[in-house]
Amino acid sequence: MRTVFKALLWLLGGASCVAAIALALVYYLMSRSVADYEADYAVEGLTAEVEIVRDANAVPHIYAANDLDAYYALGLAHAQDRLWQMEIGRRGAQGRLAELFGASAVDIDRRLRTFDLYTYAKGAAARQSPETTTILEAYAAGVNAWIRVVNAEALGRGAPEFFLFNEGLAPWTPADSIAILKVMALRLTDSARREVDRALLLREIGPEKLRDVDPDYPDAGLLALPSFTEAFRGLSVPGPQRRAALDPWEEAFLPRAGFGGASNAWAVDGGRTTTGAPLLANDPHLWLSAPSIWMLAHIEFPDQGVIGGTIAGVPAVLVGRNRDLAWGLTNVGMDDQDLYIEKLNPENPNQYLTPDGWADFTERTELIQVNGGDPVEITLRWTRHGPVLPENVYEAGAVTPEGHVAALAWTTLSSEDRTIDGLIRLKRATTIEEAQAAGDLVLAPGQNVTVADKDGVGVFVTGRPPQRSPESRSEGRIPSLGWIAENDWDGLAPLETLPKSIRPFSGIVANANNRSTNAPFPNHISFDWAAPYRIQRVERKLNDREFHTLESFIEIQNDTVSEMARSVLPLIARELWWTRDEGVGDIRGDRREAALALLGEWNGEMSEHAPEPLIFTAWMRALTNRLAEDELGEAIAIIEGPNPLFVERVFRDIDGAGVWCDVDKSVRVESCEEIAKLALDDALEELVAVYGDGLSTWRWGEAHRARHVATPLGRQWPLSLLVNIEHETSGGDYTLQRAKTAGRGPEPYLNVHAAGYRAVYDFSDLDRSVFIITTGQSGHLLSRHYDDLADKWRGGEYISMSMREEDIRAGAVGVTRLSSNP
């Protein structure tokens, strides 16, 4: 027995030693790719020495003798910290993810190749101005220089993920940078998905009730739409089906409606500040990821400096400032897509109907290479409107009759795209007017650009919506019949139709994705705007004081009071607050009374430490379902989650919307008070099952955690425990410190969409400006800069944003010198 015991000890000890050696080897190999900010490199393609100073937060500050060397260094710095992120973005545009991830990514590759983004990116690369072309080439040369350094010095393949998913790194090209922007445009638009959703709702409930669940807010809510029957006369449409949870790849590239882009931005001129100089605040809202979508950078050109938020792979500061101008972005929600239902020729399925008769599809066959599997052949088809969509893209199959296909028209699907040209020119703008001239080159995505110079403030729209016919049968609000000429586009809308406000007399501009124009169709830009609660809060906070400071702008940016809760809670709780509940004395009744007592003292602040935000948000979810599920059936998924505009219309009985409180499948007539009470019980039962009976001990932050997910390892347990960044957060769907909840699924209160970048620019001393991103500068999980900014972001803190060299070098973590290697 003693011999056996000794043998087991030896075996256990040996296995432990082997495991320790293996772990040490893995750690060594992974650590080789952590960027060394103190190393110097001799590289090909530079004309003079370049210095990259990494400040205390690892923000690269680039000092170069000329513009091209500066962009070269930016490409190298991006690749040094975010090479894996860049590769995922490029492969997404190309539809080549299955080459890395195998069969699980075949379906997303099929869907992404439908858009053919990379072909358009290559075409656009050949159409930029000569200056932009050389900049794109210099940036690509910098990326490729770093790839050569990684290979020559065995630096762990450039990122840990390449050990698991290694198909080799192709050289970076100018088209890759443009493709990254086109992927962002794909991620920021949900117009086609909204058309599908609206068509399905029309089919289920008709236009009169549609104005309740999909109101044209804040106007009266009337819909200038035909009934679904009229629009699709004689066509049998499949209709809604129960929606499965989005797979991880779909979440990354094809978000559901409402989960594209959002943002806040506001600015005041010197007449409204204590210093007499303008202030500008901006916080773009995007999906949460690790690393952050944003990477901070400062480039010191010979004649100008620019600092702010960049996206790895793109040679431009998308949000930020130079020494004369600051700019921020908010998503317009531009209606830049139309879905067309194309009729197939019953005698020849290779043809579809046009106003002039039958026409042939354009076709191309491609192979999707699959890691660990056989290649998959797909056929891509196009009509005169655009690519033919698979049924699971935007759920187009739910509105496509038999014998028809759905095709997509989208402004981004163009090689005549000079968006990158406009973004690069923006860095040289010194006035609001010059910034607008640069913005005129942008094709997509549609953005409100809030700007400030030393003399004033302004806002203007960039991006080009389509020019629809005034006679359009659908107005782009539901899918259009492709063989009707009135539904066709006539190019792009003229620049002069885009709204703007330059140096307004009021001295204030602001946008929170709210309506930016009252122009009627077809110059309307969009029918879909964000609910007005955030812009109402901005207006209130800006008018709370006569003069503002940097600190007051920071306070507004981190405000967590929900104007939505303040508006809606009294509507749904008033009867319950003031009438004694006969159910008190049983568990449900006592629980309900306790919840109502808590909500009665609540001021609408969505604090992570309080139970009220959790109770209220769960109640709103349950109430939306109680009101609509009997009428919508499977289509309830379209409006699933808190839907305050719908609830407000019902409880205010706007245009008779109170009828939704009556369950149409029951004989008796239910009141809104009854439905509110039942929904509150539903919500409390759900929460008790997860968090226990003690209502006062519940905390919003426990449910409302921000999860910054790494792609793809963050989707796989237990690796997710190592690579994802997670913490409790305040805020909610409609607060200025926006933290949008998932709304459905096993974790409906998870914070999945928030301000990835926050900045406040102070023209009394622009080097006092402050900024923050969600995670850290590095994309390497072993770097101390992988998550070192996450707690600051969560706590509403910022880091300095100075261009002064003495500030930058003080506490710098490293200086990298690039020299030419002829």
Side-chain angles (χ1 to χ4, degrees), residues 152-379:
E153 300 190 15
L155 299 183
R157 296 182 179 173
E161 291 88 348
F162 286 114
F163 283 107
L164 297 174
F165 311 103
N166 182 33
E167 289 297 310
L169 267 172
W172 197 263
T173 70
D176 295 336
S177 294
I178 296 174
I180 295 290
L181 285 176
K182 288 189 176 289
V183 168
M184 283 299 295
L186 177 67
R187 194 62 176 76
L188 289 174
T189 187
D190 59 5
S191 297
R193 192 180 288 276
R194 286 184 183 273
E195 285 186 29
V196 171
D197 287 351
R198 190 174 285 119
L200 292 175
L201 290 172
L202 271 171
R203 181 180 187 270
E204 295 300 307
I205 57 178
E208 291 303 313
K209 284 194 170 181
L210 178 62
R211 67 182 180 181
D212 296 325
V213 297
D214 184 32
D216 193 6
Y217 201 88
D219 295 338
L222 300 176
L223 284 172
L225 277 172
S227 71
F228 186 85
T229 304
E230 291 171 353
F232 284 71
R233 186 178 300 280
L235 302 180
S236 176
V237 177
Q241 300 175 356
R242 182 163 295 278
R243 298 183 174 189
L246 294 179
D247 68 63
W249 289 119
E250 188 174 8
E251 286 185 283
F253 292 99
L254 297 167
R256 56 191 165 111
F259 286 79
S263 309
N264 301 316
W266 60 87
V268 299
D269 67 17
R272 290 295 305 273
T273 67
T274 59
T275 63
L279 287 162
L280 187 150
N282 180 221
D283 51 297
H285 308 155
L286 296 168
W287 64 101
L288 297 179
S289 65
S292 171
I293 294 161
W294 298 100
M295 180 173 166
L296 305 169
H298 165 213
I299 312 169
E300 196 60 39
F301 298 102
D303 60 345
Q304 183 62 278
V306 61
I307 188 169
T310 68
I311 291 177
V314 180
V317 173
L318 278 76
V319 285
R321 72 165 181 95
N322 56 34
R323 287 190 168 81
D324 304 285
L325 185 83
W327 59 94
L329 302 177
T330 60
N331 203 37
V332 174
M334 185 175 287
D335 187 4
D336 55 4
Q337 295 178 323
D338 272 352
L339 204 61
Y340 285 90
I341 304 300
E342 311 279 21
K343 184 175 183 179
L344 298 175
N345 186 346
E347 305 298 324
N348 182 356
N350 295 317
Q351 292 184 327
Y352 66 98
L353 185 61
T354 77
D356 300 317
W358 301 109
D360 293 332
F361 288 102
T362 301
E363 290 191 359
R364 187 171 78 229
T365 300
E366 293 188 355
L367 284 180
I368 298 175
Q369 301 295 333
V370 183
N371 187 9
D374 296 328
V376 176
E377 183 176 285
I378 62 171
T379 299

Side-chain angles (χ1 to χ4, degrees), residues 688-710:
V688 165
V690 179
Y691 303 107
D693 281 311
L695 274 67
S696 61
T697 66
W698 295 347
R699 291 183 304 104
W700 176 230
E702 188 176 354
H704 190 238
R705 300 179 66 84
R707 183 174 298 155
H708 311 264
V709 180

Side-chain angles (χ1 to χ4, degrees), residues 579-735:
T579 57
R580 181 67 178 171
D581 186 355
E582 67 238 10
V584 173
D586 64 32
I587 293 176
R588 286 163 61 97
D590 289 344
R591 189 185 292 152
R592 190 187 316 124
E593 286 293 302
L596 288 167
L598 287 170
L599 293 173
E601 299 295 324
W602 183 46
N603 69 349
E605 183 176 1
M606 305 288 287
S607 168
E608 64 187 275
H609 306 295
E612 293 89 350
L614 180 57
I615 296 169
F616 174 71
T617 305
W619 190 5
M620 287 293 292
R621 286 185 69 239
L623 184 54
T624 299
N625 279 342
R626 279 277 181 180
L627 291 171
E629 191 168 26
D630 61 315
E631 301 221 19
L632 293 185
E634 300 289 357
I636 187 66
I638 296 171
I639 65 167
E640 191 174 9
N643 199 313
L645 297 182
F646 170 49
V647 171
E648 271 206 68
R649 285 183 63 84
V650 171
F651 277 76
R652 295 184 189 276
D653 196 23
I654 297 174
D655 296 328
V659 70
W660 285 88
C661 291
D662 178 33
V663 179
D664 67 352
K665 293 178 174 60
S666 69
V667 176
R668 60 186 297 266
V669 177
E670 289 81 6
S671 69
C672 288
E673 178 190 352
E674 288 178 84
I675 298 301
K677 181 188 294 186
L678 290 169
L680 181 55
D681 287 342
D682 293 343
L684 293 174
E685 286 182 11
E686 172 205 337
L687 297 178
V688 165
V690 179
Y691 303 107
D693 281 311
L695 274 67
S696 61
T697 66
W698 295 347
R699 291 183 304 104
W700 176 230
E702 188 176 354
H704 190 238
R705 300 179 66 84
R707 183 174 298 155
H708 311 264
V709 180
T711 299
L713 300 182
R715 306 285 182 182
Q716 303 171 21
W717 190 90
L719 291 174
S720 59
L721 302 177
L722 299 175
V723 299
N724 290 347
I725 302 166
E726 189 167 330
H727 39 233
E728 297 183 0
T729 54
S730 297
D733 293 12
Y734 301 99
T735 57

